[in-house]
Amino acid sequence: MKRAIYFVIAVTLILTSCKKKKQTEEDGIVNINMSAYFDSEAFAVGNVYTNVDGYRVRVDDFKFYISELAAIRNDGVLIPLIDIDLINLGSGYSTSSFELAPGNYRGIQFSIGVPPELNKDQDPTVYPNDHPLSVNGAQGMFWSWNTGYIFVKFEGKADLDGVEGNEILSPFAFHCGEDLLFRTHVIDNYAFTVSEEIATPIDIRFNVEKFFYSDNDTIDIAVNNLTHTSGNLPLAERFTDLFNLAIELE
Amino acid sequence: MRKTGLLVLMIAFAAVSCKKSPVEDLSILVDEPYYLTIPEGFTNPDIPEDNQLTKLRVELGKKLFFDKNLSVDGSISCGSCHLQEFAFSDGRAKSIGVDGRPGRRNSPVLFNLAWHDRLMADGGVPSIELQVMVPLHDELEMASNILDVSAVLNENEEYRNLAMAAYNRDVDPFVITRAIAAYERTLVSGNSRYDQFLAGNLNALSTSEKAGMDLFFSDRTSCSSCHGGFLLADNEYHNIGLSESYEDAGRELITLDGNDNGKFKTPTLRNIALTAPYMHDGSVESLEEVLDHFISGGFNHPVKDDRIRNLDITSVEKQSIIDFLGALTDIEFIENEEFRPRP
C-alpha cells in the first residue's frame, strides 16, 4: 500500500514538474493585438495596394522584432510583458495574451528591434529552436556575414506605372538593423484598466501606407528601393523613421 | 531507510523526466582531448569554453568540412574553395559557388585562425564558430540553410552518433558551427624555413632571403608594422590604396563609418607564395605585382594608411623580399595528411 502511495507521489511529481506556472487567480488577462492596414484596407502580404506615388505595390514579407514591451502602472512602474518576440504580420494580424495584475495603467512601452545587448556579435545557435533569436526562430532575420539581427524586414515588388493589369516586377527590400536603428516608444497617455473579469485589449496598429511617406519624407521606391542597412545606411534610417512613425495605438 | 531511498529515486526520476533521453549505443565512440601543437613563438590561443578541442569534435568537423551536403545542391563543400595545396585558399581570384556563381571576394587562407580576433576580410564575424554560417548561407557560395543541412545530416546515423558523442546533442546549428570551428582550429602552420631560421637553423634561409627578411623588418619598408608578430599579420584593417574608389567598401560595411572605407583585414603572409592571386578581390596576380603596388605607394584615397608610400628600393632588393616571402611556405603544413578527409 505504501509503495502505491510512493508511486502516486512520484507520478504526481512527474506530471507537475513539466507544467508551466499556473496563472494566479488574482491576475487579469491582457491581449496584445497587432494589426496592419493599408490606408483603410486590411493588409496582407500578396495583396496589391496603391502607394503614395501611385505605384501598385505588393508586399511579400513583413516581419519585425518587438522587445521590452511593458505596461506602465499608474505609479510609473514598468511591468514587463514581452522580452523579445518576432512578429510576422504577413496575415495582417498577430495576438498574444499575458497575465497582468488588476489595476489602472497609464500606458505601455515597447521597442522595435533587438536590444543592443542581444544584437551584435551574438550567437543564434545557443538559443532553443522556439526562441525568436534562434536560427530557427529568427526566420531569416539574422545576418551571418555581419553578425546581428535584422530589426525590420519589409520587401516585395511594385508596378511603377501603376496600371491595373501590369505585371508587378520592380523589387524593393528594406532590411533594417544595427543598434543605432533601435527605437523605443513610450506611450504613457494610453490609460487602461485590468480586471479579473474580462480580457483587456491593447491594439497596436501599423499603417503600411505610411511606411512610404510622412509629412517630412517620402521614399520613392523607383529610386530608393534597396537597403541591407550596411551599404545604404541613410535609406535604412529613413525607412526606420517612417516605420516607427506609422505605429499607432487604438 | 529502504523506503526513503526509493522516494529519493522517484524524485530524481521526476526531476530528469523533462530532459531528452540520451542515445544509448555509443560504445564505440569514446572522446578524449585534442591537444594543439603550438609552434615555437606562438602564444596559447583562447578557445571557447563550449568548444574545447576533442578528437571527436575535430573528426566531426573535418567530416563536415568536406561534406558537399552543406551546399544547397550538394555540389560543393567548404573544402571546394579551401584546398590544402593552396594553404586552404583556392587559387582563384574569386571563388565559384553553387551553379557556377562567382563570389564577392578572394577565398581566404584557413590556418592559425585560433589566433584571429575576428573573421572575414571586413571583420564582420566575431568567432570561427559563427563564420561557419557565412558561406553556408551566402547565395553566391553554398546558398544553403543550416537548419535544412541539420535535418539532412540527422538522417545519417554516423553523424548522429558523432554529434551525440562529441557534443551530447543531435546534429544542429550549434554542433555544425562548433565542429567545423574545432577542425579549423587544428589547422596550425608554423614550420616554414623562416620559423626554422628563428629557431636557430641559420642555414634555413638563403643569402637573398636573409636580405629580404632584413628589408621586410626595416623602417625602410615598414612591411612588418602590419605584417608582424608570429602571425605576420596585425588583426587590424587598413586601406592600402588599392583603388581610388572601392566597389567593395570593406570594413565600412560593418562599422558604417566612412573612415573605414576600403579597409580590409591584414592577411597573414605565411604561405603567401601558395595563395595567388592576391588582395581582397584577387585583382593582383603575382607577388611581384604586389610588391610593385607597395613600392609605388598605391592610389590616393582619403583614408589610405600613411605607411603606404613610395618606396626607394632596387630591383635586387625587391627580389630579395619576394624570396623571403617564399621562405614563409610551410611544406609540412600543406602535406599534413591529418587535415585531409578520410578515404
Side-chain angles (χ1 to χ4, degrees):
Chain A
M1 179 61 187
K2 285 185 180 174
R3 279 191 185 172
I5 292 170
Y6 285 128
F7 180 73
V8 169
I9 291 171
V11 169
T12 306
L13 279 167
I14 291 165
L15 293 177
T16 58
S17 60
C18 297
K19 283 188 177 176
K20 286 182 178 173
K21 186 184 165 188
K22 188 179 181 295
Q23 174 194 343
T24 60
E25 290 180 8
E26 297 81 23
D27 282 347
I29 296 291
V30 170
N31 293 325
I32 306 285
N33 306 316
M34 289 183 235
S35 59
Y37 68 100
F38 198 107
D39 193 5
S40 57
E41 297 177 58
F43 169 85
V45 299
N47 291 348
V48 178
Y49 306 92
T50 301
N51 85 348
V52 65
D53 287 312
Y55 306 145
R56 294 168 63 243
V57 173
R58 186 192 70 222
V59 178
D60 296 325
D61 197 358
F62 174 28
K63 294 195 282 278
F64 59 91
Y65 277 105
I66 193 164
S67 57
E68 300 174 343
L69 192 152
I72 308 172
R73 228 164 49 187
N74 268 2
D75 60 4
V77 172
L78 294 175
I79 310 298
L81 296 176
I82 295 176
D83 291 334
I84 183 138
D85 204 0
L86 177 61
I87 306 299
N88 184 341
L89 277 184
S91 67
Y93 189 74
S94 168
T95 188
S96 307
S97 296
F98 302 91
E99 298 163 13
L100 192 59
N104 295 317
Y105 294 81
R106 71 186 196 205
I108 63 168
Q109 177 173 317
F110 60 88
S111 298
I112 299 296
V114 176
E117 66 273 18
L118 299 176
N119 183 29
K120 295 298 291 183
D121 289 352
Q122 301 303 305
D123 183 351
T125 70
V126 300
Y127 294 104
N129 264 350
D130 58 353
H131 193 285
L133 297 179
S134 69
V135 177
N136 180 62
Q139 298 176 41
M141 298 283 278
F142 183 78
W143 284 305
S144 300
W145 61 275
N146 179 16
T147 310
Y149 291 89
I150 301 168
F151 295 172
V152 180
K153 183 183 280 188
F154 181 74
E155 64 184 39
K157 290 187 175 173
D159 159 32
L160 302 179
D161 295 325
V163 176
E164 192 73 35
N166 272 7
E167 279 197 87
I168 297 176
L169 297 173
S170 298
F172 62 89
F174 300 95
H175 296 184
C176 304
E178 297 290 344
D179 293 345
L180 59 87
L181 302 182
F182 186 71
R183 298 280 191 273
T184 297
H185 297 255
V186 179
I187 300 134
D188 60 3
N189 58 352
Y190 183 78
F192 62 94
T193 299
V194 175
S195 70
E196 293 174 44
E197 289 78 26
I198 56 168
T200 305
I202 293 177
D203 296 315
I204 304 174
R205 288 159 52 88
F206 297 80
N207 186 349
V208 177
E209 184 190 21
K210 291 292 193 81
F211 293 178
F212 297 97
Y213 77 99
S214 69
D215 291 341
N216 302 315
D217 191 17
T218 300
I219 292 179
D220 181 347
I221 55 173
V223 182
N224 294 300
N225 48 39
L226 177 65
T227 179
H228 296 284
T229 305
S230 176
N232 197 346
L233 178 61
L235 184 58
E237 288 179 307
R238 288 171 64 195
F239 183 82
T240 297
D241 288 341
L242 289 173
F243 177 86
N244 280 275
L245 281 170
I247 300 172
E248 305 159 353
L249 255 70
E250 193 174 70
Chain B
M1 181 63 190
R2 188 169 149 262
K3 284 168 184 169
T4 306
L6 179 64
L7 183 59
V8 168
L9 276 175
M10 288 173 168
I11 291 171
F13 177 63
V16 301
S17 62
C18 298
K19 292 182 180 174
K20 288 180 180 175
S21 61
V23 170
E24 290 171 6
D25 184 19
L26 295 173
S27 54
I28 56 167
L29 298 176
V30 179
D31 209 358
E32 55 186 297
Y34 181 107
Y35 296 105
L36 274 182
T37 302
I38 311 290
E40 194 171 326
F42 284 41
T43 58
N44 283 322
D46 291 329
I47 297 178
E49 275 302 310
D50 66 4
N51 202 21
Q52 293 293 305
L53 296 180
T54 69
K55 290 187 177 176
L56 285 182
R57 289 175 176 183
V58 172
E59 193 60 34
L60 174 58
K62 181 163 67 174
K63 187 172 169 62
L64 288 164
F65 187 90
F66 291 104
D67 192 335
K68 293 182 177 179
N69 282 311
L70 267 65
S71 60
V72 69
D73 58 1
S75 63
I76 60 172
S77 69
C78 305
S80 301
C81 299
H82 297 285
L83 290 82
Q84 189 174 7
E85 69 225 60
F86 298 121
F88 291 93
S89 61
D90 68 355
R92 299 174 183 273
K94 291 177 180 174
S95 301
I96 305 296
V98 296
D99 291 334
R101 299 171 195 170
R104 293 179 182 82
R105 291 179 182 153
N106 185 244
S107 177
V109 296
L110 298 183
F111 58 81
N112 299 344
L113 297 183
W115 289 272
H116 283 247
D117 294 340
R118 300 185 68 88
L119 283 298
M120 310 299 290
D122 52 27
V125 181
S127 69
I128 310 174
E129 281 77 6
L130 287 174
Q131 192 279 330
V132 169
M133 286 198 286
V134 180
L136 205 147
H137 287 157
D138 190 330
E139 288 298 314
L140 300 183
E141 298 186 53
M142 293 171 151
S144 192
N145 182 302
I146 199 165
L147 294 166
D148 298 337
V149 170
S150 301
V152 168
L153 298 183
N154 260 314
E155 297 294 314
N156 180 302
E157 187 179 6
E158 187 183 356
Y159 268 123
R160 273 201 318 275
N161 287 342
L162 267 172
M164 193 57 71
Y167 291 99
N168 196 30
R169 52 200 290 169
D170 292 332
V171 182
D172 64 8
F174 183 93
V175 167
I176 292 172
T177 54
R178 264 63 186 177
I180 292 178
Y183 166 64
E184 291 181 345
R185 280 197 179 88
T186 68
L187 304 177
V188 177
S189 174
N191 191 26
S192 66
R193 287 191 290 110
Y194 164 66
D195 296 294
Q196 293 161 17
F197 178 83
L198 291 181
N201 179 3
L202 301 182
N203 295 321
L205 297 182
S206 69
T207 304
S208 176
E209 288 164 350
K210 286 176 193 167
M213 179 179 67
D214 290 342
L215 264 176
F216 183 89
F217 288 103
S218 73
D219 290 340
R220 273 183 72 197
T221 64
S222 298
C223 299
S224 61
S225 64
C226 294
H227 295 284
F230 64 85
L231 290 179
L232 297 177
D234 62 358
N235 268 323
E236 296 291 340
Y237 308 86
H238 305 281
N239 179 315
I240 58 168
L242 195 61
S243 169
E244 288 181 334
S245 173
Y246 282 78
E247 190 177 324
D248 181 343
R251 183 71 178 147
E252 183 189 5
L253 292 170
I254 307 304
T255 65
L256 308 177
D257 181 350
N259 291 316
D260 287 331
N261 182 257
K263 291 184 180 177
F264 293 90
K265 192 174 177 191
T266 306
T268 177
L269 296 189
R270 288 183 173 278
N271 297 305
I272 194 71
L274 303 174
T275 66
Y278 302 102
M279 307 299 177
H280 70 277
D281 54 2
S283 60
V284 181
E285 290 189 4
S286 67
L287 280 177
E288 182 166 8
E289 288 177 49
V290 171
L291 264 290
D292 288 341
H293 167 77
F294 285 109
I295 291 168
S296 74
F299 290 96
N300 290 326
H301 190 282
V303 297
K304 186 174 82 171
D305 196 296
D306 291 340
R307 288 166 291 187
I308 309 300
R309 63 191 192 286
N310 182 261
L311 298 177
D312 183 19
I313 61 173
T314 66
S315 57
V316 172
E317 289 174 323
K318 173 182 145 187
Q319 185 57 50
S320 72
I321 294 175
I322 294 172
D323 290 345
F324 169 64
L325 295 175
L328 300 175
T329 298
D330 180 352
I331 298 294
E332 183 184 78
F333 173 71
I334 60 167
E335 291 183 349
N336 189 335
E337 294 188 1
E338 265 191 47
F339 302 146
R340 296 177 189 166
R342 293 198 184 284

